[in-house]
Amino acid sequence: MRVSKMNTRIAVAMKSIVLAGICSLWAVEPVLAQEPQPRIIPAGYRVETIPIPEGVQFGVAGLDVVANGDVYAGTRYGEVWRYRSGQWSLFADGLHEVTGVTVDEKSGGVFVMQKPELTKLIDDDGDGQADDYQCVSADFGFSGNYHEFAFGPVRDKAGNLYCTLNLSHGKGPSIKGGIMSVGERFRGTCFRVTPNGKFDIFAWGMRSPAGLGIDPRTDDIFYTDNQGDYNASSSLQHVVKGSFHGHPGSFLHKPDYKGKDINAISDDDFLRMRQPIAAWIPHGEIANSPGNPVFDLTGGKFGPFEGQIYIGDQGRSNVFRVALEKVGGVYQGCVINCIDHLQSGAIRLAFAPDGSMWVGQTSRGWGSAGGVPYGVQRIVYDGKTVPFEIHSVKITTDGFDVTMTRPIKRDAIDPGNFQVQHWGYMYHAKYGSPKVSPTQVKPTSAVVSEDGTTVRLKLGKLVAGRVYQLTINGIMGEDGALPTTRNAYYTVSVLK
Amino acid sequence: MLRDRIAVTLTLCLLCILQVPRQLDAADAAAGRAIFIRKSCVACHAVGQGRRTLGPDLSKLEKKLTRADLLEAMMDPDKKIRKGYESFVVLTDAGKVYSGRIVEKTDDAITLITTNEKGVQEIVIKQDDIDVMKQSTTSLMPRGLLKGLADSDIEDLLAYLNSLPDTKPFPANVLTRVAKAGGATVNRRVKFEPMASVASRTVFPQVDAEIELTTVPMQMRYDNTVFQVRPGSRVRLTLRNSDEMHHNLVVCKPGKLTWLDVAKAAWALGPDGPKMGFVPDSDLVVAATRQVPLGQQDTIDFAVPDVEGSYPFVCTLPGHAFLMRGEIIVSNSRHAIEDIHYSYYEGDWQKLPDFDAIKAKRSGRVESKLISIKNRDRDDRFAFLFEAKLQTAVDGEYTFFVTSDDGSHITINGKTVVDNDGVHGEGEPVSGKVQLTKGSHKLRIAMFELSGGEALHAAWSGPGLKVQPITEGTPASRFQQVQQFALEVGDTARVVRVNMPDATSRAIAVGLPGEMNYCFDAQTCEVKYAWTGAFLDVGPDRGFGRGRGGAVCKVLGKRFNVGANGFPLRFGNSDTPPEVRFMGYRRNPAGPVFTYRAGSAIIRQSVSAAVTATGLIYTFRIDDSVQQAVRFQLKPDGLKLSSSAGTWDGGTLTVPAAESKSFTVNVELPQ
């Protein structure tokens, strides 16, 4: 056996030559004191820009942070970089556009989603470079069309992997005059791969499911879709087995629709099948091209919004919050702008064990706010400041409870501090939808709770299937602090 | 018997892990020969053919080298340099520097064997033309050549070296090709520790110019060698060292060879050199950094006199000066674009119109220093032509960048520098390079818009000129990182998944060291075709100037047929192709090993370049629950086919069950 007789002297000698070229580990670098901050950012939060390797197209579209603090960034040019102790090193390359990275903490394998395949990267000799590029699943169709992105994976407690597939653009037939097309099988779906490698379709009806996330406490899967055909605006949706998310395209490959004429099914019938929207993300007001939802389970290390969802936007380069509740068994809630804006399209978010939030960025050639083509930033909370902001909004039988992060200065609260507007959206093959019959409502009363944090707004009968925009004016904290954002958009899918 | 079986099984398991198909006993001298070629050892060492080249003929050494000697010679070539094979550096009067071995010396001339971008060459230099000739303390053989080789590869190489002499011919193109120095592509550093301050070294509260440069690992040079500042400027210079050796930077007064005089004075410091940082006490020295160790940086402030001139800078550590130097040009000449005129057109085009044949709606001077397409009457169906005077401060190579919606075009003095024509979105930047002399040139930028979005962003860079926008509203960062889309292969195989011509969407392009490349299709699990020469232009898939990407990539180099005819293996007596399922690949410096399932068998396949002709060698390792006879088939098409086992019938090879666990197939072009 040659290996055991192998000259360990060679190995040691070679490694010492190589190691002589590797610098010693540095501590994480200090914050640049004068780094410019976004115009809108809650008190106590700060944005740091992480230096990226020179001469590398670092358009991040996949991001994960591991328990030991290592950051894995997957780029649009098929590379996976690892960040450790202030230094980037190339972990893998030659992949076909990495749009998702998830590390399996137990085995150390790195799952990456690339256009043709869900792949597991394994570094078995611990040299920081992947040696094995294992095909986990290629059971979905991929024509090569530039718009046939694949996203994910997210992992549930049982070890199943979930990924989503973008519809095509120009390849294959379109449905009912919509722009997006369906060439290959299973485009527009969420697929699942079991730990044994079995492949099946988990959910249908997606269009551009660019952001996939999971609540690790409950295994609830959420995804964001983008405004377009059959998508009035971008949205956050809850995915369950067999759910239909609005776009009929994927039904071209649905086994129980084989032979049926999809174009003959009415939009009303499709709408009846559609999973209730958890939160509409109003186009042009909150986001235009949202990325993956992440849950703040940092136990307070990232501030007072524990349990809420954060999503970054690729077009407006901002990060916004989603506060969800369950009403009649259905997830719904409000979206609130949070950090606006970063240096580049904030398409990927990932929490680190230290409670900071990493942001992987790319403008993707489409042009994003901020002007920088790509990069990596990190959002840090100082651990103590309680900013004065809208914490969350909950629906009541005749209005809403608006909760702030800390007590409100009571003196001047009256219904006039609150403006409420609501509207509907159309469901059709046309690209997006304008607001349908936008209506102003004047709250009849605004009562502050005992502890001073919540205002109960009475509006009268609410209408299901509408987005309610609540704007606060002149609401300030006991210390006189004003909130940095004043709008919360609540999606009423189900009445209380 | 059982013990033998266990030993065999364990060895096979280990080989499975190693993914290396070879015989179980000795290391493989034939494989070692392939490595000797792949690593370009053959370019500098004859092995019995009587060739004269940079290094000694390894079959004619006075005493046979022990294994330890061989390993030491490969890992640390500087330790023992053989007599007659010393490295000399020759500086001619014309200022050219050669480095190589002296093979002939007469009163009139010397003959030097050297390497350059063309490979190994013999150069005759007249004695009268030689200014300085100095023997170097380092070997001609570069360090780090064993990097990237697996332990088993090194064993094979040693086995080959022990089997010399070898009189089998080598392909002509490998005899002069030289291994590129090992690159520092992994573990890129983005921050350098500043050296601890001894005394305040940055003295100016404000500076007029900042110069930053970094050493390139293992290549004895600075990454930037020309800078330009105005006379009388206060300059802040930062040197970053990413090389294992220490380096410094000493700025010298203008003069013909002041840098060499300063370097010689530094070397003459002898044992005092290190503690003086190799900076001599000379009035030719304008400013000097300290010796900077790996991973650190040093910054100095100095003032440049109010007189134009070229100030050479150099690293004065012994022996470095010949390659490690540059210049700071002190000049009032600037880089600028001025006298800008625009013409605005309206019309319906699918590509840039012939501007000479159409009439402008409006034209005039552009008052600002930057051009813009905002002075238009509508957002669709228009075109702009900008003409300006381009001033360059120094001779050199200049790069122009552009993104536009729709097409655009940049010409200098009538010659096309960047062609970004066509109907498309902005996409990734397109760039082009041009050699320009110092002075004034004619710049022309044209763009047109059909419909949808419209944009024009352009910039330029050159010696002493960092990326400078030409258009309004263009941050320099947009062009600062322009990707190299034509991928190159060094001495480690490259594996890239992209849209490939004549393959499914699951194609994998592989570039092997030694200019052999092939396309493996992971859908059908077969090698579709191969090509020699340069690797691949992935721009079309990545959106290189043509919008969103997703188009088919361009094979660079010469394609050849390997007779691909669908999945090539059949098992037992079955003629129907088995169900194939791709399982992944393993990266190796020599090339990937693909794993796929075909029916009940698991197959590991690697591909290497044929050694004596243009072609490929497929190595198959087949693990099946029951070992069956295996057939390998392709379309013969005049190809020269051979194998390590089995019998051929036209394009079908039949390997009996007993030999089907592991075999190789050679698919070569006829000579």
Side-chain angles (χ1 to χ4, degrees):
Chain A
M1 293 201 223
R2 237 181 3 266
V3 172
S4 59
K5 279 195 187 140
M6 196 58 251
N7 214 319
T8 48
R9 268 198 311 158
I10 293 184
V12 167
M14 281 186 55
K15 277 176 178 119
S16 59
I17 289 179
V18 171
L19 278 169
I22 295 177
C23 197
S24 55
L25 301 176
W26 293 298
V28 177
E29 57 239 57
V31 176
L32 300 169
Q34 267 111 30
E35 167 139 20
Q37 294 293 303
R39 198 174 44 90
I40 294 175
I41 184 165
Y45 291 82
R46 162 187 105 236
V47 176
E48 287 172 14
T49 303
I50 306 293
I52 49 176
E54 265 181 59
V56 177
Q57 287 272 19
F58 216 81
V60 179
L63 189 70
D64 198 8
V65 187
V66 194
N68 69 355
D70 285 354
V71 180
Y72 285 83
T75 73
R76 294 195 55 234
Y77 282 171
E79 297 180 336
V80 179
W81 287 82
R82 184 189 71 189
Y83 187 81
R84 174 184 281 188
S85 306
Q87 187 181 337
W88 288 99
S89 61
L90 186 63
F91 180 73
D93 71 339
L95 301 160
H96 198 170
E97 189 159 11
V98 178
T99 39
V101 175
T102 299
V103 181
D104 172 12
E105 297 266 9
K106 244 198 306 189
S107 71
V110 179
F111 289 104
V112 292
M113 190 75 226
Q114 43 169 335
K115 278 187 148 123
E117 185 183 283
L118 173 62
T119 308
K120 188 170 185 185
L121 302 171
I122 297 168
D123 170 15
D124 46 33
D125 56 10
D127 68 347
Q129 286 181 285
D131 308 292
D132 237 338
Y133 289 55
Q134 289 179 355
C135 173
V136 177
S137 180
D139 283 321
F140 54 92
F142 168 55
S143 75
N145 182 258
Y146 81 97
H147 218 287
E148 289 178 26
F149 300 104
F151 304 102
V154 294
R155 232 162 155 245
D156 65 15
K157 293 201 263 267
N160 297 303
L161 297 166
Y162 300 84
C163 304
T164 56
L165 298 168
N166 213 114
L167 290 177
S168 195
H169 188 227
K171 228 12 201 307
S174 307
I175 304 294
K176 295 172 152 251
I179 292 179
M180 302 301 276
S181 58
V182 201
E184 305 282 324
R185 51 182 213 293
F186 305 139
R187 305 309 309 185
T189 67
C190 169
F191 69 84
R192 172 176 63 179
V193 183
T194 68
N196 293 327
K198 195 164 99 62
F199 171 97
D200 67 358
I201 302 300
F202 190 71
W204 305 83
M206 298 176 170
R207 181 189 170 269
S208 286
L212 191 56
I214 191 167
D215 183 341
R217 302 168 295 187
T218 59
D219 276 354
D220 279 313
I221 297 171
F222 291 86
Y223 92 102
T224 56
D225 214 326
N226 273 242
Q227 187 197 48
D229 35 340
Y230 288 105
N231 281 264
S233 183
S234 299
S235 59
L236 176 71
Q237 304 193 35
H238 178 218
V239 185
V240 299
K241 179 129 181 57
S243 50
F244 169 68
H245 291 275
H247 199 295
S250 59
F251 277 25
L252 274 179
H253 296 286
K254 198 168 194 282
D256 50 342
Y257 279 74
K258 197 169 167 154
K260 295 202 182 146
D261 181 6
I262 311 282
N263 284 290
I265 303 173
S266 75
D267 285 346
D268 284 337
D269 284 335
F270 279 123
L271 186 56
R272 261 189 286 274
M273 289 192 277
R274 192 186 71 182
Q275 180 77 341
I277 305 284
W280 283 110
I281 303 168
H283 196 84
E285 295 180 54
I286 288 283
N288 295 353
S289 199
N292 64 313
V294 290
F295 284 78
D296 179 355
L297 301 174
T298 61
K301 286 193 251 179
F302 196 66
F305 306 106
E306 176 73 10
Q308 293 190 8
I309 293 170
Y310 287 87
I311 301 174
D313 189 49
Q314 196 266 314
R316 295 164 56 98
S317 309
N318 61 327
V319 174
F320 59 95
R321 281 187 288 124
V322 187
L324 292 180
E325 54 174 335
K326 238 177 172 170
V327 181
V330 170
Y331 277 110
Q332 66 183 36
C334 69
V335 302
I336 301 168
N337 199 10
C338 187
I339 294 171
D340 197 341
H341 55 78
L342 298 171
Q343 65 175 0
S344 182
I347 195 169
R348 287 291 175 254
L349 305 180
F351 275 107
D354 67 359
S356 64
M357 183 200 281
W358 284 70
V359 184
Q361 302 164 330
T362 176
S363 67
R364 214 176 33 148
W366 259 266
S368 303
V372 173
Y374 43 73
V376 179
Q377 291 185 304
R378 184 172 158 247
I379 303 171
V380 182
Y381 173 64
D382 69 3
K384 45 188 187 7
T385 310
V386 182
F388 183 72
E389 303 289 346
I390 303 172
H391 179 272
S392 51
V393 175
K394 285 190 157 59
I395 192 172
T396 64
T397 49
D398 58 1
F400 295 98
D401 282 344
V402 179
T403 304
M404 306 303 288
T405 46
R406 51 184 168 85
I408 307 168
K409 198 161 176 172
R410 286 173 186 268
D411 345 12
I413 298 294
D414 75 36
N417 290 116
F418 298 88
Q419 273 140 4
V420 181
Q421 205 203 136
H422 61 88
W423 63 84
Y425 284 124
M426 297 198 274
Y427 173 78
H428 54 200
K430 285 222 282 256
Y431 195 103
S433 160
K435 295 178 183 172
V436 173
S437 48
T439 312
Q440 295 264 24
V441 188
K442 256 198 162 91
T444 51
S445 75
V447 176
V448 183
S449 63
E450 181 102 15
D451 68 0
T453 62
T454 306
V455 180
R456 173 152 288 189
L457 289 179
K458 202 167 153 119
L459 294 174
K461 218 151 147 342
L462 300 178
V463 184
R466 304 207 121 221
V467 176
Y468 280 74
Q469 176 184 358
L470 310 168
T471 310
I472 59 176
N473 265 309
I475 306 284
M476 58 179 83
E478 282 171 334
D479 61 350
L482 285 170
T484 58
T485 29
R486 304 184 296 115
N487 288 299
Y489 300 78
Y490 190 99
T491 298
V492 179
S493 287
V494 176
L495 293 173
K496 191 116 184 188
Chain B
M1 283 287 113
L2 180 63
R3 196 160 16 109
D4 290 346
R5 275 245 211 104
I6 289 174
V8 166
T9 313
L10 282 173
T11 313
L12 285 175
C13 288
L14 245 145
L15 289 175
C16 286
I17 295 166
L18 291 179
Q19 306 289 349
V20 170
R22 52 178 82 254
Q23 297 178 332
L24 298 180
D25 46 351
D28 194 342
R33 185 179 201 261
I35 293 166
F36 191 75
I37 294 171
R38 171 161 64 89
K39 286 295 214 176
S40 298
C41 314
V42 67
C44 297
H45 289 286
V47 284
Q49 320 97 325
R51 233 179 349 122
R52 181 166 85 176
T53 180
L54 270 171
D57 185 327
L58 296 176
S59 70
K60 292 200 171 73
L61 306 171
E62 340 67 62
K63 78 168 177 30
K64 206 162 161 92
L65 294 179
T66 65
R67 180 197 172 83
D69 290 334
L70 285 172
L71 287 171
E72 185 182 78
M74 289 192 283
M75 291 198 297
D76 194 359
D78 296 335
K79 198 139 180 228
K80 283 206 198 90
I81 299 176
R82 186 173 288 276
K83 202 155 144 47
Y85 291 88
E86 301 89 351
S87 163
F88 280 85
V89 182
V90 177
L91 173 70
T92 67
D93 291 329
K96 282 212 84 167
V97 178
Y98 299 96
S99 160
R101 173 165 88 92
I102 299 174
V103 289
E104 257 177 53
K105 196 171 176 171
T106 68
D107 290 335
D108 298 316
I110 62 167
T111 305
L112 196 73
I113 291 192
T114 182
T115 66
N116 55 27
E117 67 280 356
K118 297 201 189 81
V120 176
Q121 287 196 324
E122 286 197 14
I123 299 185
V124 178
I125 307 172
K126 292 222 272 276
Q127 292 272 20
D128 291 336
D129 291 339
I130 296 177
D131 185 349
V132 179
M133 191 161 82
K134 193 176 155 57
Q135 183 174 333
S136 168
T137 50
T138 51
S139 168
L140 284 164
M141 178 164 162
R143 285 150 71 199
L145 284 175
L146 290 185
K147 214 162 164 199
L149 286 180
D151 290 346
S152 53
D153 290 337
I154 297 172
E155 283 295 332
D156 293 339
L157 186 59
L158 289 171
Y160 173 68
L161 294 173
N162 276 321
S163 75
L164 298 178
D166 173 8
T167 48
K168 242 172 43 177
F170 291 97
N173 67 320
V174 306
L175 293 178
T176 52
R177 187 179 27 129
V178 178
K180 286 200 199 147
T185 53
V186 181
N187 291 328
R188 287 179 217 227
R189 254 164 232 103
V190 293
K191 261 211 115 194
F192 290 82
E193 287 273 323
M195 293 177 72
S197 285
V198 170
S200 173
R201 298 172 64 77
T202 54
V203 294
F204 300 128
Q206 262 183 303
V207 292
D208 303 304
E210 291 202 49
I211 290 177
E212 293 173 3
L213 60 172
T214 308
T215 61
V216 180
M218 293 209 270
Q219 289 184 38
M220 201 70 89
R221 58 183 181 90
Y222 302 110
D223 65 345
N224 283 312
T225 54
V226 183
F227 299 93
Q228 195 223 338
V229 302
R230 299 269 177 91
S233 298
R234 292 161 298 182
V235 179
R236 179 160 292 159
L237 184 146
T238 300
L239 173 68
R240 300 189 171 100
N241 188 13
S242 65
D243 188 31
E244 290 164 32
M245 290 190 258
H246 286 203
H247 294 291
N248 68 3
L249 188 147
V250 180
V251 182
C252 314
K253 290 211 173 114
K256 182 159 180 268
L257 286 167
T258 51
W259 62 270
L260 185 58
D261 293 333
V262 168
K264 286 197 225 173
W267 304 342
L269 292 173
D272 288 333
K275 71 171 186 281
M276 292 178 66
F278 293 99
V279 182
D281 191 8
S282 156
D283 48 353
L284 290 179
V285 172
V286 170
T289 68
R290 286 170 288 185
Q291 264 190 92
V292 183
L294 167 67
Q296 297 193 30
Q297 67 183 44
D298 194 23
T299 305
I300 49 168
D301 282 357
F302 60 96
V304 155
D306 214 352
V307 175
E308 292 202 357
S310 163
Y311 289 69
F313 59 83
V314 66
C315 175
T316 56
L317 269 78
H320 294 198
F322 292 105
L323 296 174
M324 241 174 141
R325 54 200 175 91
E327 62 176 327
I328 299 174
I329 300 167
V330 176
S331 165
N332 269 314
S333 301
R334 7 176 222 51
H335 298 284
I337 295 178
E338 27 195 49
D339 276 349
I340 310 175
H341 290 261
Y342 78 94
S343 300
Y344 169 69
Y345 306 79
E346 286 180 353
D348 210 318
W349 306 287
Q350 302 272 348
K351 60 182 173 87
L352 283 165
D354 178 359
F355 289 96
D356 295 329
I358 54 177
K359 197 163 136 63
K361 183 171 182 192
R362 186 168 60 242
S363 56
R365 262 185 80 88
V366 173
E367 292 309 333
S368 95
K369 281 202 187 3
L370 300 169
I371 64 177
S372 131
I373 58 170
K374 64 179 188 232
N375 180 11
R376 59 179 185 266
D377 298 338
R378 59 192 196 193
D379 289 339
D380 294 331
R381 296 175 181 78
F382 64 86
F384 272 96
L385 180 64
F386 298 97
E387 287 167 307
K389 191 161 74 172
L390 184 86
Q391 285 277 93
T392 49
V394 70
D395 294 354
E397 185 183 72
Y398 290 81
T399 309
F400 288 81
F401 310 85
V402 74
T403 62
S404 63
D405 184 344
D406 288 280
S408 60
H409 196 243
I410 299 181
T411 65
I412 308 250
N413 298 330
K415 199 161 149 297
T416 300
V417 177
V418 187
D419 181 4
N420 190 25
D421 202 353
V423 175
H424 53 69
E426 282 185 72
E428 302 294 344
V430 184
S431 67
K433 293 192 202 288
V434 61
Q435 285 288 123
L436 294 174
T437 54
K438 168 175 162 169
S440 191
H441 305 273
K442 275 220 237 340
L443 170 68
R444 209 176 106 133
I445 301 179
M447 72 82 70
F448 83 98
E449 156 69 358
L450 175 59
S451 70
E454 56 284 325
L456 177 68
H457 292 282
W460 64 311
S461 71
L465 176 73
K466 277 210 182 101
V467 176
Q468 193 82 245
I470 297 173
T471 44
E472 257 176 49
T474 305
S477 61
R478 179 183 269 261
F479 296 112
Q480 245 141 23
Q481 325 238 27
V482 177
Q483 176 77 341
Q484 176 66 264
F485 285 104
L487 300 182
E488 289 172 351
V489 181
D491 52 4
T492 313
R494 274 196 100 136
V495 182
V496 180
R497 295 188 82 151
V498 276
N499 270 330
M500 290 296 287
D502 305 315
T504 72
S505 56
R506 296 200 156 103
I508 303 176
V510 179
L512 298 174
E515 297 189 348
M516 178 59 73
N517 318 276
Y518 64 92
C519 173
F520 181 87
D521 195 320
Q523 184 108 307
T524 53
C525 292
E526 57 169 329
V527 174
K528 290 289 258 279
Y529 52 85
W531 66 99
T532 54
F535 185 37
L536 190 65
D537 176 1
V538 295
D541 190 41
R542 294 189 179 167
F544 179 54
R546 297 293 176 261
R548 312 283 185 235
V552 162
C553 294
K554 247 196 314 229
V555 159
L556 306 167
K558 203 164 151 186
R559 204 163 130 169
F560 65 92
N561 171 41
V562 295
N565 195 22
F567 181 68
L569 301 175
R570 302 285 181 273
F571 296 86
N573 291 323
S574 172
D575 272 325
T576 46
E579 202 185 296
V580 170
R581 199 180 170 82
F582 182 66
M583 290 170 66
Y585 54 90
R586 195 170 171 80
R587 298 285 296 264
N588 280 324
V593 180
F594 299 104
T595 305
Y596 46 89
R597 183 184 280 280
S600 60
I602 298 212
I603 298 151
R604 274 174 266 262
Q605 177 181 4
S606 59
V607 181
S608 54
V611 179
T612 51
T614 300
L616 297 178
I617 303 174
Y618 303 145
T619 306
F620 292 101
R621 292 193 50 249
I622 302 180
D623 284 303
D624 209 337
S625 43
V626 174
Q627 217 64 24
Q628 310 178 64
V630 175
R631 260 166 299 134
F632 169 91
Q633 52 196 53
L634 40 62
K635 279 198 290 223
D637 284 347
L639 293 164
K640 190 162 143 241
L641 305 168
S642 57
S643 59
S644 66
T647 45
W648 286 93
D649 177 10
T652 303
L653 169 73
T654 305
V655 181
E659 297 172 84
S660 67
K661 255 191 125 42
S662 167
F663 59 92
T664 63
V665 177
N666 278 50
V667 180
E668 292 172 18
L669 295 184
Q671 293 283 36

